[in-house]
Amino acid sequence: MRLVKVGTSSVSVKVGDFQRNTENLCEVIDTARKEKVHLLVTPELAISGYSLEDRLFWDDIVEHSWTSLLKIAEHTEGIGVFVGLPVQKESYLFNATAFVCNRKIHGLILKKYLPTYQVFYEGRYWSSWEGGTTEIHGIPAGDIIFELPYGLVSAEICEDIWSSHSPSADRAIHGAEIICNLSASPFSPLKNQLRKQLILTNAMRIKVVYIYSNLLGCDNSRLIFDGGGIIATPEGSVVMGPILSNKRWTLTTTVVNLNEVTRIRKENSTWKTEALQSERENITKRVVVEYPQFSPSPLKEWVNTLPQSFYIPEDKSTESIQIENNYFEQLFSALSLGLRDYFEKVGVFDKFLVALSGGRDSALSLLLAVEAGKNLKEGRCPNKYKEKVECIYLPHKSYSSSDTRKAAELLAKELGVPFHVVSIHEESEIAYKKAVEIVGGEENVKALTRQNLQARVRGAMMLNWANNVNGLLLVTSNLSESAVGYTTTGGDNEGGFSPIANVPKTVISALLEYLAETRKIRALEMILKIPPTAELAPNQTDEGDLMPYKVLDELIFLFAKQRFSLVDCWKIICLRFPEFSSKQLKKWTEDFAKRFVANQWKRDQHPVSLKVLEPDFDPKTGFRFPVIQSIDEELEKLRKAKL
């Protein structure tokens, strides 16, 4: 039997931090070698970081990446490793993976398919590899299969596997028995299950052992990579690594029997027919890799990977199911991981700061800050989070209620973080008097202006506090508010980082309900009983100013994500919300559309935020919407529409 120990590693990296990235990669390679791993796969662009953006156009990125690869090669005695990095040939930049073994770089496989949709803009930076082979630094590059003592190995990079013409299929037909996929695949809830199905299906379809590796954490600012390595065999067995780990890297290993690949291919007439037909179209190059003193993995290790029964599937542990299949656990873990990484990797902050209002958004922001604080330094000192998180309640005596103050105070107490109360009443009155002076009389001050000046007073106070204590001020606005401009420029959208800007209000409420039940946080029960309100005017509620959040969030998804017309949006919500009249729903649809189009300028100014869901309104990497435009014709069609 050809028993081979293979491994997949998820690694947390930082864009351009070549020293730390290289140290992490060398550390995981050294650990894998000690565990007698023969073949290790690390993530896409793990040397340089994936989210390079225009930084890639500086020559030093490619130069430092190659220098780092040479250092990494020194750690590959007796082990083969795929490592991702940018390379350049003439004026072309390629996203590459190097195969390094026994201190030598044996070849480079170049990425073919470049996503340029949603948050991806790879077509701006990279050249697509069209096929065949070339040389870079005197090393074979392109479509390569590596011949090792235990079998034939090749690789592909992230998007390649999502294509209907995946390079892996061609490489498998031409002999590759192990396919490695190096990825930087951003998180969305339960996406790891989709990846698992994709990897397993491909392994069974093209008759290979498939090894998948994904980045971990935030390498720049917005995207969260959830890790979660996967090893699948053509017989349908799967080994999965942990997702959303707070560690710098994870390592998952197993022993595979490559004789199974040979047997399955011999038995499968379809595979043999395809292989024979494609021989004359072969553009791959085989590279022989010297591997002195290769020793197969012990039979016992492989036997230990087998299920207890070949007929009855095994149940997974409750703990693994909790994170692997739980939408809310994954969402909360991803948001806190992204916040933790931003705090640590920027490297200038001492504290997380939250303006706690007693409402849902600020409550979730504080919970995320506490979780992020517990996971600082890989979670080695979880109890020190109390030194890293502070919150403040900023009441106006005319509008802030005793209920929100009690809720805010109880939440801070339950979480064990410092809680301050500082009134904004006097400052708001001064700001109001100045507004009267500027516009020439009280009768000229709009009600909305009087509301917003309170938010601006709070924003200025929080920014000054953050400035004084080197704090990361969290903006507590959500996706629903951002969509319709229900935020105050210079007020509640001011800060250093916006962890929940990509999360709709309905999801925030559901997540808080889940956390209240699973974490037994009494304050959340109190907060959830309070109708969402900005408390900037008497008896004000968010849904009174806007519409029910359940309707608003559906309109956002239908219009901004599904790209339905306003008429179709209205017709759909009429069927989904029969408790409201069609006339009322049409009015809300029109109001939503007007607000949505009119407030792109606000979304353009929103602070850095995490991307976890669709739609994504970040103007730099997500939703590119015109600031100046007209939808008058769409609105007119809506007004005339009938069910």
Side-chain angles (χ1 to χ4, degrees):
M1 286 187 286
R2 290 183 290 151
L3 301 182
V4 184
K5 190 165 189 178
V6 297
T8 175
S9 176
S10 296
V11 185
S12 180
V13 306
K14 177 180 175 181
V15 163
D17 191 349
F18 294 98
Q19 180 177 344
R20 181 62 61 86
N21 296 345
T22 300
E23 288 173 356
N24 287 341
L25 287 165
C26 290
E27 192 174 313
V28 71
I29 291 169
D30 290 344
T31 302
R33 190 175 58 251
K34 290 175 184 175
E35 295 186 16
K36 301 188 183 303
V37 170
H38 297 113
L39 177 64
L40 175 67
V41 186
T42 64
E44 178 181 10
L45 296 174
I47 288 178
S48 61
Y50 172 79
S51 307
L52 288 158
E53 300 179 339
D54 282 9
R55 184 71 177 86
L56 180 61
F57 293 133
W58 272 258
D59 290 341
D60 66 309
I61 291 293
V62 171
E63 293 166 1
H64 286 316
S65 295
W66 194 260
T67 300
S68 297
L69 179 63
L70 295 174
K71 293 177 182 177
I72 290 168
E74 293 300 310
H75 290 256
T76 60
E77 182 70 35
I79 185 173
V81 186
F82 280 103
V83 189
L85 76 162
V87 297
Q88 183 172 341
K89 183 176 177 64
E90 299 170 353
S91 58
Y92 301 101
L93 288 166
F94 293 105
N95 184 337
T97 174
F99 184 68
V100 193
C101 185
N102 290 320
R103 300 182 179 178
K104 181 180 178 181
I105 305 167
H106 294 273
L108 299 162
I109 291 176
L110 309 180
K111 189 170 184 177
K112 180 175 183 178
Y113 293 102
L114 306 176
T116 306
Y117 58 87
Q118 295 179 351
V119 297
F120 304 106
Y121 294 93
E122 292 192 14
R124 173 182 172 90
Y125 306 109
W126 306 101
S127 295
S128 171
W129 182 245
E130 297 302 323
T133 56
T134 184
E135 285 192 355
I136 298 175
H137 293 289
I139 293 168
D143 296 310
I144 301 174
I145 295 174
F146 300 97
E147 293 188 13
L148 289 120
Y150 49 79
L152 300 173
V153 178
S154 192
E156 63 184 5
I157 302 173
C158 201
E159 185 76 6
D160 289 344
I161 193 177
W162 298 89
S163 167
S164 58
H165 300 285
S166 170
S168 60
D170 186 65
R171 289 163 194 166
I173 286 294
H174 291 107
E177 299 166 295
I178 299 177
I179 295 290
C180 305
N181 184 284
L182 293 78
S183 279
S185 179
F187 165 85
S188 61
L190 305 182
K191 189 176 181 180
N192 61 310
Q193 290 299 312
L194 177 61
R195 296 191 198 107
K196 174 185 174 181
Q197 192 60 47
L198 178 66
I199 299 297
L200 180 57
T201 299
N202 269 18
M204 298 172 72
R205 180 176 63 87
I206 62 177
K207 322 303 179 201
V208 295
V209 171
Y210 227 111
I211 309 173
Y212 170 89
S213 171
N214 192 24
L215 276 181
L216 176 63
C218 278
D219 70 336
N220 179 343
S221 58
R222 295 204 66 235
L223 299 182
I224 305 166
F225 303 99
D226 45 337
I230 303 169
I231 303 170
T233 73
E235 292 222 305
S237 65
V238 181
V239 176
M240 297 188 68
I243 62 170
L244 298 166
S245 171
N246 65 6
K247 305 300 181 184
R248 287 180 292 114
W249 54 265
T250 66
L251 175 64
T252 301
T253 67
T254 191
V255 176
V256 297
N257 179 11
L258 292 186
N259 280 357
E260 289 183 347
V261 175
T262 304
R263 174 182 60 78
I264 291 169
R265 289 180 175 181
K266 282 195 299 184
E267 294 174 355
N268 192 285
S269 58
T270 302
W271 189 91
K272 288 185 292 185
T273 300
E274 283 190 272
L276 289 171
Q277 289 176 346
S278 64
E279 276 303 316
R280 55 183 175 272
E281 304 167 6
N282 188 7
I283 59 172
T284 59
K285 178 183 179 67
R286 287 201 181 184
V287 173
V288 178
V289 179
E290 295 181 3
Y291 204 120
Q293 299 178 338
F294 168 73
S295 300
S297 294
L299 179 62
K300 183 178 180 181
E301 276 197 61
W302 178 69
V303 170
N304 288 340
T305 69
L306 300 177
Q308 288 185 343
S309 170
F310 291 118
Y311 304 99
I312 304 171
E314 294 176 292
D315 290 332
K316 292 186 176 181
S317 68
T318 304
E319 182 179 354
S320 68
I321 290 174
Q322 183 179 20
I323 185 69
E324 190 176 306
N325 300 319
N326 190 303
Y327 177 96
F328 292 119
E329 286 292 338
Q330 287 193 12
L331 181 58
F332 185 73
S333 296
L335 291 169
S336 61
L337 174 61
L339 178 56
R340 189 283 305 265
D341 270 12
Y342 187 84
F343 185 95
E344 283 193 323
K345 290 178 180 180
V346 171
V348 299
F349 304 114
D350 294 328
K351 291 179 181 291
F352 299 94
L353 302 181
V354 181
L356 199 59
S357 68
R360 303 177 192 197
D361 300 334
S362 64
L364 179 56
S365 297
L366 182 59
L367 287 163
L368 291 170
V370 167
E371 188 71 11
K374 291 178 179 179
N375 286 324
L376 292 172
K377 297 182 179 178
E378 299 183 273
R380 289 192 292 268
C381 306
N383 293 328
K384 289 191 175 182
Y385 77 91
K386 298 177 183 180
E387 303 169 10
K388 294 293 183 180
V389 183
E390 290 191 52
C391 57
I392 190 169
Y393 181 76
L394 301 168
H396 188 293
K397 71 179 184 181
S398 300
Y399 308 121
S400 300
S401 69
S402 59
D403 287 344
T404 56
R405 175 165 178 165
K406 288 177 184 175
E409 190 170 9
L410 178 59
L411 181 62
K413 184 178 180 181
E414 284 192 80
L415 297 177
V417 298
F419 177 74
H420 312 279
V421 179
V422 178
S423 172
I424 66 161
H425 184 78
E426 292 179 3
E427 289 76 8
S428 297
E429 290 303 304
I430 293 170
Y432 177 66
K433 289 177 182 178
K434 292 301 177 183
V436 169
E437 186 178 334
I438 290 170
V439 299
E442 288 193 35
E443 67 278 6
N444 296 324
V445 179
K446 295 180 179 179
L448 185 60
T449 302
R450 185 155 195 172
Q451 292 180 34
N452 286 343
L453 64 83
Q454 299 169 57
R456 293 189 177 104
V457 166
R458 289 187 173 107
M461 292 173 70
M462 289 297 295
L463 286 171
N464 288 335
W465 185 26
N467 199 184
N468 196 62
V469 299
N470 295 329
L472 177 58
L473 175 57
L474 302 189
V475 177
T476 60
S477 296
N478 60 61
L479 180 137
S480 307
E481 294 173 347
S482 176
V484 293
Y486 197 62
T487 58
T488 304
T489 301
D492 57 335
N493 68 352
E494 294 295 301
F497 196 69
S498 191
I500 62 170
N502 187 225
V503 187
K505 189 74 167 192
T506 50
V507 176
I508 287 171
S509 297
L511 177 55
L512 289 176
E513 289 173 2
Y514 173 81
L515 294 172
E517 180 180 351
T518 56
R519 270 58 165 186
K520 308 301 180 186
I521 303 172
R522 290 189 302 119
L524 292 183
E525 298 174 6
M526 184 184 301
I527 289 167
L528 287 164
K529 290 178 181 177
I530 302 171
T533 172
E535 289 196 323
L536 299 176
N539 303 314
Q540 181 187 52
T541 66
D542 295 353
E543 293 184 318
D545 286 350
L546 300 170
M547 65 190 76
Y549 275 117
K550 64 180 181 179
V551 176
L552 175 58
D553 286 349
E554 294 232 352
L555 284 171
I556 291 169
F557 190 85
L558 292 170
F559 185 72
K561 177 64 174 70
Q562 299 293 83
R563 315 291 205 249
F564 283 118
S565 69
L566 293 177
V567 172
D568 286 341
C569 289
W570 170 61
K571 289 181 177 179
I572 292 169
I573 64 170
C574 283
L575 293 171
R576 288 175 67 82
F577 300 108
E579 66 268 32
F580 301 112
S581 71
S582 61
K583 183 178 179 180
Q584 177 65 75
L585 290 168
K586 181 181 283 190
K587 181 178 181 299
W588 283 336
T589 303
E590 181 175 350
D591 185 52
F592 156 74
K594 289 178 179 178
R595 289 174 181 265
F596 187 84
V597 171
N599 284 286
Q600 181 61 32
W601 68 275
K602 279 190 181 182
R603 295 192 288 271
D604 273 8
Q605 299 181 37
H606 202 83
V608 177
S609 61
L610 294 170
K611 193 274 180 193
V612 290
L613 299 173
E614 293 289 347
D616 169 29
F617 292 144
D618 185 274
K620 296 179 288 296
T621 60
F623 192 70
R624 298 200 166 190
F625 203 62
V627 175
I628 300 174
Q629 64 171 303
S630 172
I631 58 164
D632 289 347
E633 291 184 1
E634 273 278 276
L635 289 171
E636 188 60 28
K637 288 180 181 178
L638 175 64
R639 295 182 190 116
K640 293 178 179 178
K642 296 180 180 179
L643 292 176

